[in-house]
Amino acid sequence: MDWYPLFNSLRIALISSAIVFFTGIFAAYYVARLNRIVKGALDVLLTLPLVLPPTVVGYFLLLLLGPTHPFGAWILSAFGTKLVMTWYAGIFAASVVAFPLMYRTARGAFESFDETLAYSGKTLGLSNFYIFWRIRMPACKQGILAGTVLAFARALGEYGATSMVAGYTPGKTATISTTVYQLWRTDNDALAFRWVLVNLAISAAVLLTVNMLERRNKAPNRGALRERGYGG
C-alpha cells in the first residue's frame, strides 16, 4: 500500500490550515469592526467559497493560476514554476475552500467578545497587540479552536477543487480523496475502502483531541468556582 496520498493530504491540510488560521483571524477581526453595509458585502464575498460547488472554485482557480492565464503565465515566465498540476496546487484549493469556515467561526467569536475587557486594557496602557493576543484571543479560544479544526478537516477531505488544479498523479499529486475516487473508478473497492478507513480514523482522532482540550479548559473553571463556593 502506497502511503504517499496520506503524507500529501496531511501536508496540504496542515499548510493550508496554518494559512487560513492567520488570514481567517485577520479578516474576521477587521470585518467585524466595519460598518454594517461594508461588512455585509465583504461577508458575502469571503463566504462565497463555502456555498459554491468545489468544482466551480477549482474553475476560478484555474482561471487565476493556469499557465495560459495572466497571473499563472507571469509566474511561469518569471520563476519557471507552474502553479497547477503540482502537489502544492492542492494548498491553494484547500485554503480557499477551508477559509470560510475559519473566517465565519472566528468572526462569531470576536463579535461575542466583551469589548469592555479591551477598553479596560487600554485604560491600563496596554498596547493593541497585547490586548489582541493576551486578552481577546484567550477569551475567544473556543471559537478559534473550533474554526481551526473545521478548516483542517475540510482541507483534509477536499476533492473537487483539488482534482481540478492538482489532478491525480500517483506519487506526485495524489491525495486520499482523489485516490479513493480513482480506486473506485478502476473497481478497486477493497483498497478504496482502506483509504476511507484511514480518513475516518484521522477525522475521529482530530475530533477526540478537540473534545479533550475542551474538557481540560472547562476543568480549571469548575475548580475556580468551587473554591469561591459556587460549586458542589
Side-chain angles (χ1 to χ4, degrees):
M1 187 171 175
D2 180 16
W3 291 101
Y4 179 83
L6 174 60
F7 163 73
N8 196 37
S9 294
L10 289 174
R11 174 171 58 176
I12 290 172
L14 288 171
I15 295 174
S16 59
S17 296
I19 293 172
V20 302
F21 176 82
F22 291 103
T23 57
I25 288 175
F26 177 83
Y29 176 71
Y30 284 102
V31 169
R33 301 163 69 89
L34 296 174
N35 65 69
R36 186 174 181 180
I37 296 177
V38 177
K39 180 167 66 174
L42 288 176
D43 194 55
V44 170
L45 179 63
L46 295 175
T47 312
L48 202 56
L50 184 65
V51 297
L52 286 175
T55 50
V56 175
V57 175
Y59 175 76
F60 283 123
L61 285 174
L62 285 176
L63 291 180
L64 175 66
L65 306 176
T68 59
H69 295 89
F71 182 72
W74 176 75
I75 293 292
L76 182 60
S77 62
F79 302 100
T81 301
K82 287 199 310 179
L83 296 180
V84 296
M85 300 306 153
T86 59
W87 75 266
Y88 48 83
I91 297 174
F92 302 131
S95 297
V96 171
V97 299
F99 173 84
L101 292 171
M102 185 69 209
Y103 161 74
R104 295 285 295 192
T105 309
R107 203 198 76 183
F110 288 146
E111 288 179 341
S112 64
F113 175 73
D114 185 0
E115 289 294 335
T116 57
L117 296 175
Y119 298 147
S120 300
K122 290 180 180 179
T123 61
L124 296 174
L126 300 178
S127 66
N128 289 330
F129 182 86
Y130 184 95
I131 292 171
F132 181 82
W133 289 108
R134 300 300 298 272
I135 298 176
R136 191 181 301 272
M137 286 291 286
C140 300
K141 63 184 177 181
Q142 292 300 329
I144 300 298
L145 177 62
T148 304
V149 173
L150 288 173
F152 175 82
R154 181 66 184 88
L156 184 67
E158 212 297 306
Y159 170 76
T162 300
S163 64
M164 294 190 69
V165 299
Y168 172 78
T169 304
K172 292 184 178 180
T173 66
T175 63
I176 294 176
S177 299
T178 57
T179 299
V180 168
Y181 173 75
Q182 290 297 326
L183 291 173
W184 169 80
R185 193 173 64 85
T186 56
D187 295 325
N188 193 345
D189 290 340
L191 190 54
F193 185 68
R194 290 182 189 177
W195 279 115
V196 169
L197 292 178
V198 169
N199 206 345
L200 285 172
I202 296 173
S203 301
V206 170
L207 294 176
L208 285 173
T209 302
V210 172
N211 290 336
M212 290 175 62
L213 289 173
E214 287 181 346
R215 286 196 294 269
R216 185 175 299 176
N217 289 331
K218 290 177 181 178
N221 294 333
R222 289 196 295 267
L225 288 174
R226 280 195 288 269
E227 288 179 1
R228 294 171 182 151
Y230 294 107

